[in-house]
Amino acid sequence: MRNLVRILALIAAFLLIWLYFDFTSEEQEILIPEENAEPQQNQTLEQADESNSGIEMPENGLATLIGKSQQELVDLYGEPQRIDPSLYDYEWWIYAINDHNYMQIGIENEQAVTVFATGNETDVAPFKIGQAASELYASIFADANVNIEYNDSSYRFELSEEDLNTRPIIRLGDVFALLYIDKFTGSLSSVRFVNTETLIKLRPYEMVYRGELLEAGTEAEDNELVNRGIERQILDITNVLRVRHEVQPLEWDDKTAQVALGHSIDMFETEVFSHTSERYGELSDRLEAGEVTYLSAGENIAANYIDAPAVVEGWLNSKGHRESLLNEKFTHLGVGVIEKHYTQNFIEKWQQ
């Protein structure tokens, strides 16, 4: 009888421990956007109609940084915390000023060609982070077809209904503003300002063109440094979003990052996009193999997003991924990136 009681007690203890370990990676939608679809050449593409000039360029704010020299940027903001290479001919100058003011400035040929900004204290005039989408759409016209003439070539970006609702693009004179809308709160989450040439290279939407197709020319040997930079940017942006939603920021964990990178490599090599690896198993199996100790864990995956800002905003607008991103239990994060395959592994560490 005593042995039976002991066995039942052990079973009960095991069940309690098993129930406490929480995995939030299950039943999430596949996050692979169509934004990098191969552009289609159209010899009969009509000359771009640029009569819709959007709204006027503001006198102040981050939009006005486009075209400024890197010395002007240093005079304004000082040296960046770090400089990360990118896949698009510019390098990112990272200014993680605080949890409410974060920006990445893309520098090419010693000039700013793009700016990504998020955080409630960033000046993204004529817009405002947190601004209601209904207010935005009342003051701007977001077109489903954005036509551009550049260097004797014509380009047309074709936005889907989902694009118009979550990431419309607006012309500000010679600069374009890509607006990331948080569809769950109905408010502006972040803004990307970009010049014409860089926008064509980024191709954030489906595109048809006539003439020359502009391509980014980053060398392959730079890709590892690019990926390590993207991983840190994903951590930075994730923490800005968590603080916005009154959740504690995450700390970086090297062991967890190695597990995340291993899963991204596995997905890339096998061309199987899943939380379950045929070679390495579920998230729990991979964390155990990586000697990661934790109380609870979760995972976000994605593929084909153009960079860190795009993929984090994509996760934010997907219910299951958002729940992991903003889960208050998680304390640490590891990110692994290879060839536009992204893995975020979240853990809640054991308390010492």
Side-chain angles (χ1 to χ4, degrees):
M1 185 66 179
R2 289 181 180 178
N3 288 338
L4 179 60
V5 170
R6 287 175 183 171
I7 291 170
L8 291 174
L10 286 171
I11 292 173
F14 173 79
L15 287 173
L16 285 172
I17 292 171
W18 180 78
L19 288 170
Y20 191 72
F21 279 75
D22 177 30
F23 293 92
T24 62
S25 62
E26 305 302 324
E27 303 299 326
Q28 291 186 1
E29 63 188 271
I30 299 299
L31 209 62
I32 304 180
E34 298 180 357
E35 59 191 24
N36 285 316
E38 190 66 25
Q40 301 298 310
Q41 190 168 16
N42 185 342
Q43 296 294 345
T44 63
L45 184 66
E46 297 178 3
Q47 184 172 348
D49 177 11
E50 301 187 47
S51 58
N52 175 24
S53 59
I55 54 182
E56 293 184 3
M57 170 68 78
E59 296 183 1
N60 300 297
L62 298 181
T64 64
L65 298 184
I66 302 299
K68 288 191 181 297
S69 71
Q70 60 185 38
Q71 184 56 55
E72 289 178 287
L73 297 176
V74 171
D75 293 341
L76 284 169
Y77 303 109
E79 296 290 342
Q81 278 99 326
R82 67 176 192 272
I83 297 176
D84 297 335
S86 82
L87 293 172
Y88 301 100
D89 298 330
Y90 53 81
E91 55 186 17
W92 281 121
W93 283 25
I94 308 298
Y95 289 94
I97 298 171
N98 57 50
D99 291 328
H100 304 281
N101 191 350
Y102 176 87
M103 59 184 173
Q104 300 180 191
I105 304 176
I107 304 294
E108 181 180 352
N109 297 326
E110 300 187 353
Q111 282 192 328
V113 297
T114 184
V115 178
F116 170 79
T118 189
N120 297 338
E121 295 177 2
T122 54
D123 185 356
V124 293
F127 318 106
K128 184 175 177 57
I129 300 299
Q131 184 176 4
S134 57
E135 181 183 328
L136 275 172
Y137 287 116
S139 60
I140 63 174
F141 175 71
D143 203 332
N145 293 316
V146 178
N147 297 304
I148 299 173
E149 284 284 323
Y150 184 77
N151 285 354
D152 299 323
S153 296
S154 299
Y155 306 87
R156 184 174 71 233
F157 290 107
E158 299 178 343
L159 281 68
S160 66
E161 183 177 351
E162 177 73 10
D163 293 331
L164 289 172
N165 289 330
T166 61
R167 53 192 194 109
I169 189 166
I170 305 299
R171 197 188 303 264
L172 303 174
D174 294 330
V175 173
F176 292 87
L178 198 166
L179 309 179
Y180 291 101
I181 307 294
D182 181 339
K183 69 181 183 182
F184 290 92
T185 63
S187 61
L188 182 63
S189 178
S190 63
V191 179
R192 186 194 301 259
F193 299 108
V194 60
N195 69 8
T196 301
E197 180 179 350
T198 304
L199 176 64
I200 296 169
K201 290 180 183 178
L202 286 173
R203 298 204 295 268
Y205 312 96
E206 290 195 20
M207 186 181 81
V208 294
Y209 70 98
R210 176 177 55 80
E212 179 187 3
L213 176 62
L214 293 181
E215 300 274 9
T218 301
E219 297 296 327
E221 55 262 34
D222 293 335
N223 282 4
E224 185 172 351
L225 289 176
V226 170
N227 293 333
R228 300 297 80 77
I230 292 173
E231 291 164 2
R232 292 292 173 162
Q233 293 160 30
I234 287 175
L235 172 70
D236 291 340
I237 300 168
T238 294
N239 279 338
V240 172
L241 297 179
R242 285 175 66 88
V243 170
R244 177 185 301 165
H245 290 273
E246 300 181 348
V247 182
Q248 285 296 312
L250 302 168
E251 296 181 33
W252 182 264
D253 185 77
D254 284 327
K255 283 187 176 182
T256 306
Q258 287 301 311
V259 172
L261 179 58
H263 190 56
S264 289
I265 292 172
D266 182 54
M267 289 191 296
F268 172 66
E269 291 179 347
T270 62
E271 298 183 355
V272 176
F273 186 78
S274 172
H275 291 286
T276 302
S277 166
E278 291 186 3
R279 295 189 287 189
Y280 306 112
E282 306 289 345
L283 174 58
S284 57
D285 301 316
R286 291 181 266 119
L287 289 172
E288 181 180 358
E291 299 181 347
V292 177
T293 57
Y294 59 95
L295 285 172
S296 59
E299 180 171 81
N300 283 342
I301 57 176
N304 292 348
Y305 282 81
I306 59 176
D307 57 12
V311 72
V312 176
E313 288 292 346
W315 281 325
L316 187 68
N317 265 341
S318 170
K319 185 177 183 297
H321 300 89
R322 181 189 186 92
E323 289 173 357
S324 293
L325 198 75
L326 303 179
N327 191 316
E328 63 183 11
K329 291 190 299 185
F330 294 144
T331 59
H332 291 73
L333 177 68
V335 184
V337 177
I338 182 172
E339 299 293 338
K340 294 185 178 178
H341 285 65
Y342 307 89
T343 301
Q344 270 188 320
N345 283 162
F346 304 85
I347 63 168
E348 177 191 5
K349 276 201 170 183
W350 290 96
Q351 297 299 320
Q352 301 296 326

